[in-house]
Amino acid sequence: MKPLRPHLLGIESDAPFPPAESALRTPDGLLAVGGDLSPARLLNAYAGGIFPWFSEGQPILWWSPDPRMVFHTGGVRLSSRFRRGLRSSGWMVTADSAFAEVVRACADAPRRGQDGTWITGDMQHAYLALHRLGHAHSVEVFDGAHLVGGIYGVAIGRMFFGESMFSGRSGGSKVALAALAHTLEGWGWPLIDAQVENPHLLRMGAISLPRSAFLAQVRGLVRSAPGTAPGSWHGRFGRWPASRLAASAGA
């Protein structure tokens, strides 16, 4: 029988989480409460298919919803109209060149139906710490020197766990997501975790996986493999024109 309340985490950052399969059905996916946002705790959570999500003033809440929203890296879709516009775009794409700015922009971006942000100051500091350790990464979209879109998340092994994205101009987040997926597909990384269902993500090709199927894939993908050591993606990703996506992200 499933527990009636989430698991209470202890103060030890390396303490194990309960199995993600034991998360509550109502609210869907709530697994644990408490703990901290240390790098060790966060990496332990993501490797187990668990992520933090809470608002200012709440305790830290840890989730593993069922089903789970994901992208296959070869399955991100951009509409034909959007791709036509990209052909003449002067936007450029980079990685890990403006991580703090992307996180801050995601925190400041208005969200329909939401009052405030879950990307609290403590969350921002936590992901900046992961970034300094080479575990958290951003993809940026620039128009000249102006940041017009971005996405950030956590990488373990060959698995990327997306956290948030933003558009400073129309289409900026689409380009960031498509650029991330295009690059990861080339590296042999098959999945991007998108956490919970969202109509916008569904239109871009996201699919729902039963939690059991998601966890089975994650547990294999997070294992170390050649080319997956923590570190900056700035040089490996390079700097390239967003127009390249016009041919690679089909509708």
Side-chain angles (χ1 to χ4, degrees):
M1 180 178 294
K2 287 193 176 293
L4 298 178
R5 57 179 61 88
H7 180 83
L8 181 63
L9 292 177
I11 60 174
E12 302 85 2
S13 292
D14 59 351
F17 281 86
E21 292 90 344
S22 65
L24 300 181
R25 292 189 179 275
T26 305
D28 176 35
L30 180 59
L31 176 69
V33 177
D36 59 17
L37 295 172
S38 66
R41 178 97 66 178
L42 286 168
L43 292 173
N44 190 16
Y46 283 106
I50 302 158
F51 60 88
W53 187 24
F54 61 98
S55 299
E56 194 76 55
Q58 289 183 321
I60 301 173
L61 304 177
W62 302 89
W63 303 80
S64 185
D66 187 14
R68 190 69 162 246
M69 182 66 54
V70 301
F71 284 96
H72 290 293
T73 52
V76 173
R77 297 196 299 263
L78 299 175
S79 71
S80 297
R81 179 179 180 183
F82 189 81
R83 288 187 290 121
R84 283 196 298 271
L86 276 182
R87 293 187 188 116
S88 58
S89 172
W91 290 358
M92 300 295 293
V93 183
T94 62
D96 286 349
S97 64
F99 183 87
E101 291 87 343
V102 169
V103 174
R104 187 162 52 248
C106 288
D108 292 342
R111 311 282 178 181
R112 184 177 300 175
Q114 295 181 5
D115 183 15
T117 180
W118 73 93
I119 310 173
T120 64
D122 287 345
M123 287 279 273
Q124 293 182 51
H125 290 306
Y127 287 94
L128 282 168
L130 277 182
H131 175 65
R132 287 191 290 269
L133 293 170
H135 298 289
H137 305 281
S138 59
V139 171
E140 305 90 19
V141 185
F142 285 97
D143 183 1
H146 186 63
L147 184 66
V148 297
I151 185 171
Y152 77 96
V154 176
I156 306 176
R158 292 191 301 123
M159 181 70 202
F160 189 87
F161 301 90
E163 271 298 308
S164 188
M165 58 186 183
F166 85 98
S167 287
R169 292 188 193 161
S170 178
S173 64
K174 292 181 181 180
V175 170
L177 173 61
L180 171 67
H182 174 72
T183 300
L184 293 182
E185 184 185 20
W187 292 353
W189 297 36
L191 282 184
I192 297 172
D193 176 29
Q195 298 182 345
V196 295
E197 186 169 311
N198 175 301
H200 173 64
L201 299 182
L202 288 170
R203 289 192 292 272
M204 290 190 68
I207 63 170
S208 290
L209 285 182
R211 182 171 55 211
S212 58
F214 172 77
L215 293 174
Q217 293 193 56
V218 165
R219 286 165 181 160
L221 290 170
V222 297
R223 296 171 185 161
S224 297
T228 63
S232 175
W233 284 2
H234 182 68
R236 184 181 184 191
F237 190 97
R239 181 176 184 270
W240 44 273
S243 58
R244 182 185 299 177
L245 297 168
S248 63

